[in-house]
């Protein structure tokens, strides 16, 4: 790195000559005719020469050893006529260190001598004539330097010199990448034999294998590399960089030399992959290296049926020929033919299983796959087996008499069979395949000792799936039709297609959101004609309307409960599109109750409520939240059986005339909805429980409108402030208490539907528990006493009330004048107050305002909670 090059400096170099007639600056041109500064002196004929040339200050830029390269010509003294006595053929070079330019005026004797410079070749008169320049180049170095810069000085003591150029520089080892580590620009050490140890930094996407180091020599060369970096997993080395592995390639570890193509039956779609994924049905052991190909255990190929009854099929199979490791277990998948979306999986460590709980006379498809440490193999081909028909003789125990009668072997053979039974020779669960052969001859025997045991095998696990969703044992789960990409698929998954010709429409019974609701009859093959309700989709529907309309069928079709409206099927292949469900003679519950006000016994009403609660328990068990539970959405049949209906999708509340838009934009049936669902759309089975409490109130008040004519806003406010509907007239206290429980602000404190069902069951079993009513007088006094100023809670006495409004000083006067109950206080007028001696206008206002507030709440019929 140059610190100074006199050839490249344009203009004045700023060097000083002393004495003034010594060194002279002469403008010359170099070999390329570029102007250069030269300094010349030639006082060979004069005695005692001491001519100094001082450079300007030169920064050393942090270098502690600098080099000075001088180019000069020098005249041969022998070639000078008569001047030999004083003529010199050398000059001296000095330096002086200083941190700034202050050192300019120091005395010559403070300069430190670097060297005496002599010419290798001096020129003569002859050379001048031939114009031959005998240029000398001399390099000297100085160090260690300790200050920021220095001056150079050239002393002439009587020579004939032309100083053509002065170049001052230092040496560095330039930035370099070696062994994937970057080493920075490094200035050489001060000592000419010194090696500087320099640490490298691993380049992008590389990791340290061993700390990288190199040595920078005084000559500016990198020497002796130690340690190295390696491209990390997913990257490979190319041209001193780490390049990403392309999709389809991988590098598992920094030590692998380069990206490799994914091994057979594996792939990767990502860049920088460190391993490849196995293709479907191909596996690799966890302990296998990622360079290993993915393989598949050889599938189970031989499956044989064993005992078959009307409800079960037993199977056995042989271990695959090339299992590709030790088989840990088998997975057996089966489903009813053409019903593949609903399947069951059994896991078994044995090579035999019994699938039970099957439908009689139905074909089932079985597939088996093995799992080794390498993972699952592919499923076997499909094996079809059929359960015995309901009425046919089978190997089931119930069929034994038939078989025994039909086999005319008689008592002797029977004795043999009994002998076998008593000996118990085949009563272990290992009967497996062999016993199924015996099953032909000795059906009862096989039943006892055969596969029924395998069912209880603790090593065997059974899971049911529906459309990819796991079904918990015994509990089916509601599947949101929205999860289907194609809504039509959901409809046909859950609803039967009915031919329009099987339906007879009789009359219109109502109006639904999508079209008329009619009553009619359905005649299915092999069944008696029966009444049905038919919802139609009006003509000119949009695709979304059709989807939403059929959405209800997709939901309804998943339910199977006596208190949930039953779906018969749908008509989608012809127009009009229809949803056909069971017919509920008495229509919707709210209208029915209004029409029959006071006509039912409490037990009948509780029976209705019990049915609704039971239907709701079923829905909540399935994970379905109704969101619009209200008496208008309950249908009631001629036997007074109530069934939950109205299952919508996105339209869920759109068609409900009670649904109002909330400030958050949703449409919600305010009077039936729990506060958390109104406030932040927290719809859960617990919010359905709140709605159920309102339905109880509707039922017990024969279809009264909850919160009467209060506005929705007032309802929200009152409920938020802790007020609740009062008991309906003549309502059993236990039922009203249950309603209040359903209206707990904290949704976790509300009862669950199964608890509601059991409470109602208990009440029905013990009708005397329904005798205690929230009677008219206590109801009235309830209203009066409980309706206290908003936020202050109920007042048990006049004193408590007056204390609460800070008017306690008048308690005695009120009591003495006969206003000893809240009922009596409610009648107080301003005149009365004045008469009682409440003369301060502020106090009169306070008392009258408080009474006024209580009366407003009384009109609204609310009870603070
Ligand atoms: P929806 O669109 O479900 O609210 O039905 C509109 C009206 O049709 C209801 O209020 C009932 O009066 C009547 N309705 C609906 N479904 C049935 C049914 N399954 N049986 C009898 N009436 C029904």
């Amino acid at each position: 790195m140059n610190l100074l090059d006199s050839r490249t400096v344009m203009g004045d170099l700023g060097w000083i000559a002393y004495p003034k007639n010594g060194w002279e600056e002469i403008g010359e041109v170099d070999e390329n005719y570029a102007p250069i500064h030269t300094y010349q002196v030639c006082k060979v004929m004069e005695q005692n020469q001491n001519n100094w040339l001082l450079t300007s200050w030169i920064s050393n830029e942090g270098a502690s050893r600098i080099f000075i390269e001088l180019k000069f010509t020098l005249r041969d003294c022998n070639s000078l006529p008569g001047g030999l006595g004083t003529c010199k053929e050398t000059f001296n070079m000095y330096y002086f260190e200083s941190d700034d330019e202050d050192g300019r005026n120091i005395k010559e004797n403070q300069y430190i001598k670097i060297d005496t410079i002599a010419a290798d070749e001096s020129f003569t008169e002859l050379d001048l004539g031939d114009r031959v320049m005998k240029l000398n180049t001399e390099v000297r170095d100085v160090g260690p330097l300790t200050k920021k810069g220095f001056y150079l000085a050239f002393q002439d003591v009587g020579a004939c010199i032309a100083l053509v150029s002065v170049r001052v520089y230092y040496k560095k080892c330039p930035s370099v990448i070696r062994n994937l580590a970057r080493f920075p620009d490094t200035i050489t050490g001060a000592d000419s034999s010194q090696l500087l140890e320099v640490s490298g930094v691993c380049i992008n996407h590389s990791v340290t294998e061993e700390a990288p180091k190199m040595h920078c020599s005084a000559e500016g060369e990198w020497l002796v590399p130690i340690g190295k970096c390696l491209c990390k997993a997913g990257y490979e080395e190319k041209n001193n960089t780490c390049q990403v592995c392309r999709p389809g390639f991988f590098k598992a570890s920094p030590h692998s030399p380069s990206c490799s193509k994914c091994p057979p039956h594996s792939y990767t779609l990502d860049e920088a992959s460190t391993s490849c994924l196995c293709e479907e049905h191909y596996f690799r052991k966890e302990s296998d290296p990622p360079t290993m190909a993915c393989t598949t255990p050889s599938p189970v190929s031989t499956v044989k049926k064993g005992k078959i009854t009307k409800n079960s099929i037993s199977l056995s199979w042989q271990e695959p020929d090339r299992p590709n490791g030790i088989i840990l277990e088998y997975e057996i998948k089966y489903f009813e033919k053409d019903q593949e979306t609903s399947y069951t999986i059994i896991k078994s460590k044995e090579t035999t299983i019994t699938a039970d709980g099957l439908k009689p006379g139905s074909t089932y498809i079985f597939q088996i796959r093995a799992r080794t440490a390498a993972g699952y193999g592919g499923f076997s081909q499909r094996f079809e087996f059929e359960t015995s028909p309901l009425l046919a003789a089978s190997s089931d125990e119930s069929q034994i008499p038939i078989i025994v009668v039909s086999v005319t072997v008689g008592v002797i053979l029977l004795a043999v069979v009994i002998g076998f039974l008593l000996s118990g020779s085949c009563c272990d669960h290992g009967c497996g395949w062999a016993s199924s052969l015996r099953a032909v001859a000795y059906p009862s025997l096989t039943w006892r000792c055969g596969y029924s045991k395998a069912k209880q095998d603790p090593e065997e696990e059974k899971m049911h799936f529906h459309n990819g969703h796991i079904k918990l044992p015994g509990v089916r789960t509601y599947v949101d039709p929205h999860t289907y990409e194609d809504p039509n698929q959901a409809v046909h998954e859950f609803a039967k297609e009915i031919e329009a010709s099987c339906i007879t429409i009789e009359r219109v019974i109502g109006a639904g959101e999508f079209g008329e609701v009619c009553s009619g009859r359905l005649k299915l093959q092999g069944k008696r004609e029966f009444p049905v309700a038919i919802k139609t989709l009006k003509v000119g529907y949009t695709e979304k309307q059709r989807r939403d309309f059929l959405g209800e069928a997709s939901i309804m079709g998943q339910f199977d409960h006596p208190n949930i409206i039953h779906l018969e099927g749908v008509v989608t292949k012809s127009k009009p599109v229809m949803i056909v469900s069971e017919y509920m003679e008495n229509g919707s519950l709210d209208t029915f109750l209004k029409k029959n006000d006071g006509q039912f016994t409490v037990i009948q009403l509780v029976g209705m409520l019990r049915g609704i609660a039971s239907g709701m328990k079923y829905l909540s068990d399935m994970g379905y939240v109704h969101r619009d539970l209200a008496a208008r959405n309950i249908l009631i049949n001629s036997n007074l059986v109530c069934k939950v209906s109205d299952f919508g999708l996105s339209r869920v509340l759109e068609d409900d005339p009670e649904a109002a838009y909330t400030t958050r934009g949703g449409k919600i049936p305010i009077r039936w909805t729990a506060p958390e669902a109104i406030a932040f759309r927290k719809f859960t089975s617990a919010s359905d429980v709140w709605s159920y409490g309102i339905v109880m109130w509707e039922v017990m008040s024969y279809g009264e409108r909850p919160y009467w004519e209060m506005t929705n806003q007032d309802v929200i406010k009152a409920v938020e402030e802790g007020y609740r509907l009062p008991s309906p007239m003549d309502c059993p206290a236990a039922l009203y208490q249950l309603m209040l429980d359903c209206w707990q602000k904290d949704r976790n404190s509300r009862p669950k539907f199964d608890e509601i069902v059991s409470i109602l069951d208990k009440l029905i079993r013990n009708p005397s528990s329904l005798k205690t009513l929230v009677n008219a007088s206590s109801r009235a006094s309830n209203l009066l006493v409980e309706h206290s100023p908003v936020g202050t809670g109920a007042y048990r006495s006049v004193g408590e009330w007056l204390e609460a409004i800070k008017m306690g000083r008048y308690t005695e006067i009120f009591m003495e004048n006969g206003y000893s109950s809240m009922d009596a206080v409610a009648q107080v007028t301003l005149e009365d107050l004045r008469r009682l001696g409440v003369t301060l206008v502020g106090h009169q206002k306070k008392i009258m305002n408080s009474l006024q507030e209580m009366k407003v709440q009384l009109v609204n019929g609310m009870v603070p909670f």
Side-chain angles (χ1 to χ4, degrees):
M1 276 304 285
N2 284 348
L3 297 172
L4 168 74
D5 185 351
S6 63
R7 284 179 175 234
T8 59
V9 176
M10 308 296 270
D12 190 8
L13 265 176
W15 292 7
I16 296 170
Y18 173 82
K20 289 233 176 333
N21 60 352
W23 290 90
E24 259 184 296
E25 184 176 359
I26 309 236
E28 296 247 358
V29 287
D30 67 5
E31 57 273 24
N32 300 320
Y33 299 97
I36 51 169
H37 299 273
T38 68
Y39 284 88
Q40 300 182 8
V41 63
C42 195
K43 303 268 170 131
V44 288
M45 300 305 212
E46 294 161 44
Q47 299 285 326
N48 302 325
Q49 292 300 305
N50 187 16
N51 302 308
W52 287 76
L53 177 65
L54 310 177
T55 68
S56 48
W57 185 75
I58 303 164
S59 161
N60 61 32
E61 294 184 4
S64 52
R65 172 158 297 273
I66 52 113
F67 296 79
I68 305 132
E69 179 200 71
L70 302 175
K71 286 187 190 292
F72 61 95
T73 58
L74 201 118
R75 178 114 184 211
D76 182 352
C77 285
N78 291 326
S79 71
L80 283 171
L84 278 172
T86 56
C87 179
K88 298 282 183 323
E89 290 187 356
T90 60
F91 63 97
N92 300 317
M93 182 162 64
Y94 296 81
Y95 78 104
F96 175 77
E97 277 198 88
S98 83
D99 279 327
D100 48 38
E101 301 192 24
D102 290 352
R104 185 96 218 208
N105 302 317
I106 53 121
K107 292 217 170 71
E108 291 84 18
N109 62 6
Q110 285 183 268
Y111 275 83
I112 300 162
K113 187 166 175 179
I114 299 172
D115 206 357
T116 296
I117 312 291
D120 289 336
E121 289 189 87
S122 47
F123 65 91
T124 61
E125 195 69 42
L126 216 61
D127 297 325
L128 277 177
D130 296 346
R131 300 195 68 79
V132 175
M133 287 287 276
K134 289 193 170 166
L135 196 62
N136 295 281
T137 303
E138 293 290 328
V139 178
R140 299 288 182 276
D141 60 326
V142 181
L145 299 179
T146 52
K147 299 201 170 164
K148 287 183 184 164
F150 55 92
Y151 294 93
L152 289 178
F154 304 97
Q155 184 196 26
D156 164 56
V157 285
C160 191
I161 324 161
L163 194 52
V164 177
S165 83
V166 177
R167 188 165 73 89
V168 183
Y169 59 93
Y170 63 88
K171 291 185 180 172
K172 66 174 187 180
C173 296
S175 168
V176 71
I177 292 175
R178 190 74 55 85
N179 289 342
L180 297 180
R182 185 186 306 283
F183 294 89
D185 265 351
T186 305
I187 297 172
T188 55
D191 192 327
S192 57
S193 61
Q194 194 179 356
L195 287 183
L196 285 184
E197 187 185 90
V198 181
S199 294
V201 176
C202 290
I203 61 164
N204 276 353
H205 308 300
S206 71
V207 288
T208 309
E209 161 75 350
E210 186 194 334
K213 282 184 196 151
M214 266 215 289
H215 297 85
C216 178
S217 75
E219 288 308 307
E221 283 172 318
W222 288 109
L223 302 172
V224 207
I226 299 172
K228 61 177 172 182
C229 305
L230 296 173
C231 288
K232 65 181 186 187
Y235 290 81
E236 65 183 346
E237 183 178 348
K238 260 187 198 159
N239 305 329
N240 269 340
T241 58
C242 290
Q243 306 262 334
V244 69
C245 296
R246 287 177 291 128
F249 290 79
F250 78 105
K251 200 182 100 171
S253 113
H255 295 278
S256 318
S258 57
C259 303
S260 314
K261 210 169 176 345
C262 287
H265 299 296
S266 70
Y267 69 97
T268 165
L269 302 175
D270 299 324
E271 286 191 332
S273 294
T274 56
S275 64
C276 301
L277 302 169
C278 288
E279 288 168 6
E280 205 177 355
H281 306 308
Y282 285 84
F283 306 93
R284 188 194 287 130
K285 274 189 213 167
E286 266 173 37
S287 55
D288 281 345
T291 45
M292 192 116 144
C294 297
T295 55
T296 170
S298 24
V300 172
S301 54
T302 327
V303 176
K304 290 181 185 170
K305 71 178 172 192
K307 190 167 79 94
I308 290 188
T309 72
K310 62 184 190 316
N311 298 117
S312 70
I313 295 173
S314 299
L315 299 178
S316 68
W317 58 91
Q318 274 168 10
E319 188 176 284
D321 298 338
R322 288 185 298 120
N324 206 9
I326 296 167
I327 291 183
L328 303 174
E329 65 179 7
Y330 293 93
E331 192 176 273
I332 304 94
K333 175 183 176 180
Y334 65 88
F335 49 89
E336 198 182 340
K337 195 174 178 181
D338 301 328
Q339 307 276 324
E340 191 165 353
T341 49
S342 202
Y343 58 89
T344 299
I345 285 198
I346 301 182
K347 291 187 179 180
S348 170
K349 293 197 175 2
E350 308 293 326
T351 53
T352 58
I353 56 118
T354 297
D356 52 13
L358 309 181
K359 287 191 205 159
S362 305
T363 305
Y364 284 85
I365 310 287
F366 289 82
Q367 285 184 285
I368 301 171
R369 62 177 177 174
R371 184 167 74 84
T372 64
Y376 280 110
F379 269 117
S380 66
Q381 64 179 94
R382 295 174 169 215
F383 293 91
E384 266 188 45
F385 300 110
E386 196 176 337
T387 48
S388 311
L390 193 58
L391 296 174
S394 79
S395 54
D396 201 336
E397 191 180 44
S398 60
Q399 305 298 324
I400 291 169
I402 302 166
I403 294 165
V404 171
V405 170
S406 68
V407 177
T408 52
V409 178
V411 181
I412 299 169
L413 181 55
L414 201 60
V416 174
V417 171
I418 291 166
F420 254 98
L421 272 175
L422 293 175
S423 69
S425 61
C426 189
C427 285
D428 69 325
H429 59 272
C431 286
W433 185 230
S435 64
S436 68
L437 293 172
R438 277 184 221 118
V440 181
Y442 310 112
S444 62
L445 190 67
T446 314
W447 185 86
R448 278 166 190 255
C449 69
Y451 302 97
S452 58
K453 203 80 180 261
K455 276 189 292 185
Q456 297 149 14
D457 186 344
E459 305 262 47
E460 192 178 291
E461 244 181 76
K462 194 170 182 177
M463 279 189 287
H464 303 276
F465 293 81
H466 189 85
N467 248 10
H469 302 261
I470 287 191
K471 296 194 286 186
L472 297 173
V475 184
R476 291 206 308 123
T477 315
Y478 161 73
V479 180
D480 184 346
H482 279 121
T483 57
Y484 284 76
E485 238 170 73
D486 174 9
N488 285 321
Q489 195 201 337
V491 180
H492 289 109
E493 177 78 34
F494 301 117
K496 262 189 300 191
E497 178 74 26
I498 297 176
E499 263 185 51
S501 59
C502 303
I503 301 163
T504 317
I505 295 182
E506 286 174 341
R507 62 193 172 88
V508 176
I509 51 169
E513 191 206 355
F514 296 98
E516 285 154 345
V517 183
C518 307
S519 64
R521 308 187 77 74
L522 176 66
K523 173 75 186 81
L524 291 174
Q525 221 184 0
K527 280 194 181 176
R528 274 197 299 133
E529 197 179 53
F530 56 97
V532 286
I534 304 140
K535 281 190 181 181
T536 56
L537 176 60
K538 59 189 166 227
V539 287
Y541 55 81
T542 63
E543 191 43 42
K544 181 178 182 316
Q545 283 172 323
R546 181 181 192 273
R547 211 173 41 231
D548 290 349
F549 176 73
L550 290 174
E552 177 166 24
S554 305
I555 298 172
M556 216 197 288
Q558 296 183 45
F559 305 140
D560 179 18
H561 188 272
N563 296 102
I564 304 291
I565 201 78
H566 173 73
L567 177 75
E568 294 298 340
V570 290
V571 178
T572 64
K573 304 232 158 91
S574 62
K575 286 185 182 166
V577 175
M578 295 185 246
I579 297 176
V580 182
S581 58
E582 68 177 309
Y583 181 58
M584 303 292 284
E585 296 82 352
N586 282 319
S588 57
L589 181 61
D590 64 332
T591 321
F592 175 70
L593 288 172
K594 277 179 212 157
K595 264 197 279 181
N596 298 284
D597 194 351
Q599 303 292 304
F600 302 110
T601 63
V602 168
I603 288 288
Q604 279 176 309
L605 295 176
V606 177
M608 294 175 198
L609 290 175
R610 197 266 175 208
I612 301 166
S614 173
M616 289 307 297
K617 169 186 162 2
Y618 175 81
L619 292 183
S620 69
D621 284 349
M622 292 238 345
Y624 180 81
V625 178
H626 192 291
R627 294 173 176 230
D628 198 9
L629 178 58
R632 66 183 167 280
N633 289 328
I634 305 291
L635 292 168
I636 181 161
N637 69 14
S638 52
N639 295 323
L640 301 187
V641 174
C642 288
K643 305 200 180 198
V644 180
S645 83
D646 216 81
F647 306 101
L649 277 179
S650 55
R651 60 152 201 123
V652 76
L653 307 168
E654 299 297 322
D655 66 325
D656 190 336
E658 282 296 344
Y661 285 101
T662 63
T663 46
R664 300 186 69 193
K667 223 180 162 197
I668 288 175
I670 301 292
R671 285 153 215 271
W672 282 264
T673 306
E676 75 275 5
I678 296 174
F680 47 96
R681 289 165 184 269
K682 186 79 192 161
F683 285 97
T684 56
S685 289
S687 63
D688 276 353
V689 165
W690 177 291
S691 312
Y692 178 81
I694 305 286
V695 172
M696 285 183 77
W697 190 91
E698 291 184 274
V699 169
M700 298 315 292
S701 55
Y702 283 91
E704 182 70 273
R705 180 170 166 72
Y707 310 95
W708 306 278
E709 293 321 311
M710 280 172 77
T711 64
N712 278 340
Q713 274 319 309
D714 284 351
V715 172
I716 294 173
K717 194 162 173 279
V719 169
E720 214 20 72
E721 285 171 350
Y723 287 87
R724 298 292 183 265
L725 282 166
S727 165
M729 288 272 255
D730 298 321
C731 179
L735 290 180
Y736 183 55
Q737 186 53 51
L738 187 53
M739 291 179 210
L740 292 174
D741 289 345
C742 293
W743 302 329
Q744 293 269 3
K745 186 177 174 59
D746 170 18
R747 65 177 181 278
N748 298 316
S749 307
R750 294 171 204 156
K752 308 282 177 293
F753 279 115
D754 59 342
E755 292 169 272
I756 297 175
V757 172
S758 62
I759 291 169
L760 295 177
D761 278 344
K762 270 188 206 142
L763 295 176
I764 294 168
R765 276 201 302 273
N766 182 11
S768 61
S769 59
L770 293 163
K771 290 234 166 77
T772 316
L773 305 183
V774 183
N775 62 40
S777 63
S778 73
R779 202 170 152 262
S781 75
N782 242 357
L783 297 181
L784 266 179
V785 176
E786 303 288 329
H787 288 116
S788 52
V790 173
T792 57
Y795 300 126
R796 283 185 296 266
S797 67
V798 176
E800 197 181 323
W801 165 59
L802 286 169
E803 283 297 337
I805 58 169
K806 302 215 163 48
M807 293 290 111
R809 71 192 71 176
Y810 300 119
T811 305
E812 250 179 63
I813 301 176
F814 269 71
M815 302 304 273
E816 280 165 17
N817 288 279
Y819 297 107
S820 53
S821 73
M822 290 305 288
D823 289 25
V825 163
Q827 314 303 321
V828 165
T829 63
L830 187 59
E831 228 8 81
D832 295 334
L833 283 186
R834 291 197 186 115
R835 196 169 42 75
L836 291 174
V838 183
T839 49
L840 290 170
V841 179
H843 289 187
Q844 289 169 2
K845 269 194 184 159
K846 223 169 191 176
I847 294 168
M848 289 315 291
N849 283 349
S850 173
L851 284 172
Q852 189 56 34
E853 274 183 45
M854 284 195 280
K855 278 176 191 164
V856 170
Q857 285 142 21
L858 175 60
V859 170
N860 284 337
M862 309 285 288
V863 205
F865 199 68

